[in-house]
């Protein structure tokens, strides 16, 4: 009994150590050590009131440059019009019934007609529909992206809420958001 508990405890410890080594914790793997600053101090070197969590790797920040809304672009197109076409048919079903035993055994056979349908889609002309060429997009352009002064006029696709927030701010105001895509 004691051996089973010891074995279970050992397996749990090995599993937890393995998960911790695989990146379950907040390690600094993939981070430039020179870019890491002391969390307890602000830019002036004084102690800050509360430690702030580092931003998500997907989050970008910079100075708002301009905003752009691209409406959905559609066109009319044609495609084959498919209709369901069914044909009726019949087939003969054979039935047999055996009665009696030994030399008094008889077999009676009769047939019934079963009706069925086979359906398939066939092309019958064409139909016109509205095809989306470009989906609707909301975009924000940033300067000094993530503090790099060489990265200016970088366009990001954003949510409508982030777009409205950017429209409400002044030009060159600091913004931080998680983009849904790049380019515009």
């Amino acid at each position: 009994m004691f051996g089973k508990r010891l074995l279970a405890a050992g397996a749990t410890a090995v599993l937890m150590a393995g998960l911790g080594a695989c990146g379950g914790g907040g390690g600094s793997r993939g981070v430039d050590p020179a870019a890491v600053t002391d969390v307890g101090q602000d830019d002036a070197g004084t102690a800050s009131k509360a430690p702030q969590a580092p931003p998500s790797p997907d989050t970008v920040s910079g100075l708002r440059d301009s905003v752009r809304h691209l409406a959905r672009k559609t066109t009319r197109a044609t495609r084959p019009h498919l209709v369901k076409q069914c044909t009726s048919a019949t087939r003969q079903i054979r039935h047999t019934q055996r009665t009696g035993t030994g030399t008094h055994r008889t077999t009676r056979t009769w047939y019934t007609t079963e009706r069925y349908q086979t359906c398939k889609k066939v092309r019958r002309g064409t139909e016109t529909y509205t095809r989306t060429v470009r989906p609707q997009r909301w975009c924000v352009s940033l300067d000094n992206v993530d503090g790099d002064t060489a990265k200016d006029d970088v366009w990001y696709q954003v949510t409508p809420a982030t777009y409205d927030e950017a429209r409400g701010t002044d030009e060159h105001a600091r913004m931080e958001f998680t983009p849904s895509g790049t380019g515009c």
Side-chain angles (χ1 to χ4, degrees):
M1 184 70 166
F2 180 72
K4 288 183 181 179
R5 285 185 186 169
L6 185 61
L7 183 62
T12 304
V14 169
L15 180 63
M16 288 175 58
L19 288 175
C22 288
S28 63
R29 189 170 67 182
V31 177
D32 182 15
V36 176
T37 59
D38 189 7
V39 176
Q41 296 183 352
D42 58 7
D43 291 337
T46 60
S48 60
K49 294 179 177 86
Q52 296 178 352
S56 168
D58 298 332
T59 302
V60 295
S61 65
L63 304 178
R64 177 201 175 273
D65 187 23
S66 59
V67 294
R68 181 186 299 165
H69 174 248
L70 299 174
R72 183 175 79 140
K73 190 174 184 181
T74 60
T75 185
R76 304 290 287 167
T78 59
R79 61 183 170 205
H81 180 68
L82 300 176
V83 294
K84 185 176 177 181
Q85 183 179 19
C86 298
T87 56
S88 298
T90 60
R91 61 178 157 233
Q92 296 289 319
I93 305 294
R94 180 180 170 177
H95 305 277
T96 57
Q97 180 181 24
R98 299 179 195 275
T99 57
T101 58
T103 57
H104 298 297
R105 179 172 223 157
T106 58
T107 302
R108 185 173 76 101
T109 303
W110 72 96
Y111 294 89
T112 58
T113 303
E114 178 183 75
R115 298 187 192 291
Y116 67 96
Q117 281 190 335
T118 57
C119 298
K120 60 184 175 181
K121 290 193 173 191
V122 295
R123 181 178 174 170
R124 185 150 308 147
T126 59
E127 63 185 8
T128 305
Y129 71 102
T130 302
R131 182 170 61 91
T132 301
V133 177
R134 178 187 67 208
Q136 183 169 226
R137 283 188 248 168
W138 296 270
C139 304
V140 175
S141 173
L142 294 180
D143 289 338
N144 297 340
V145 176
D146 293 329
D148 187 358
T149 55
K151 287 187 178 178
D152 285 346
D153 299 323
V154 180
W155 284 97
Y156 293 101
Q157 294 176 26
V158 295
T159 62
T162 305
Y163 172 80
D164 289 339
E165 179 187 331
R167 278 189 44 183
T169 61
D170 294 329
E171 193 168 333
H172 298 294
R174 177 148 299 284
M175 288 195 69
E176 185 172 327
F177 55 85
T178 303
S180 57
T182 57
C184 193

